[in-house]
């Protein structure tokens, strides 16, 4: 699935139900940094970076986090965020979104 209108990226779902979504996302390389469209979820989100360095920007506070390979970031329910790839290789990350 291609996710995002203005700044698309690839999402691969491994499992998806009403309560949980699990899969891989690939944030491509682009210009001075590839930034995704803002998103938030009804459930809690966990992102595990498999390769590359993922930037996560919390929209409300403008806090920015750099997630290294083999690190996980937790994002609370209804927290709007954007992801950014400012490296020269695509970022591969595993995500889980759950309302539980």
């Amino acid at each position: 699935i291609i996710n995002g209108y203005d700044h698309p990226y690839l999402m691969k779902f491994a499992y998806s139900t009403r309560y949980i979504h699990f899969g891989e996302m690939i944030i491509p390389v682009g210009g001075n940094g590839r930034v995704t469209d803002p998103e938030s979820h009804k459930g809690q989100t966990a992102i595990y970076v498999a390769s590359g360095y993922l930037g996560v920007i919390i929209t409300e506070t403008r806090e920015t986090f750099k997630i290294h390979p083999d690190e996980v970031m937790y994002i609370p329910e209804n927290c709007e965020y954007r992801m950014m790839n400012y490296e020269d290789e695509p970022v591969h990350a595993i995500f889980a979104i759950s309302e539980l």
Side-chain angles (χ1 to χ4, degrees):
I1 294 175
I2 303 297
N3 188 30
Y5 293 104
D6 295 325
H7 307 283
Y9 65 94
L10 181 63
M11 291 183 76
K12 299 178 181 181
F13 284 92
Y15 186 78
S16 184
T17 69
R18 180 177 169 190
Y19 301 106
I20 190 167
H21 308 288
F22 177 77
E24 177 187 17
M25 59 187 161
I26 301 169
I27 312 296
V29 176
N32 293 328
R34 180 67 174 252
V35 179
T36 65
D37 295 337
E39 56 186 89
S40 66
H41 308 285
K42 188 174 180 182
Q44 305 169 59
T45 303
I47 301 171
Y48 166 81
V49 176
S51 67
Y53 294 90
L54 179 66
V56 177
I57 304 160
I58 306 302
T59 307
E60 183 178 340
T61 62
R62 296 186 178 180
E63 291 176 282
T64 303
F65 301 91
K66 185 175 184 180
I67 315 306
H68 296 253
D70 293 327
E71 290 184 344
V72 176
M73 180 165 185
Y74 165 79
I75 301 171
E77 181 176 32
N78 297 319
C79 178
E80 187 177 83
Y81 65 96
R82 299 177 82 161
M83 297 175 289
M84 183 168 77
N85 178 5
Y86 45 86
E87 301 290 329
D88 58 357
E89 295 290 328
V91 173
H92 292 259
I94 306 299
F95 68 89
I97 303 167
S98 175
E99 295 181 28
L100 301 174

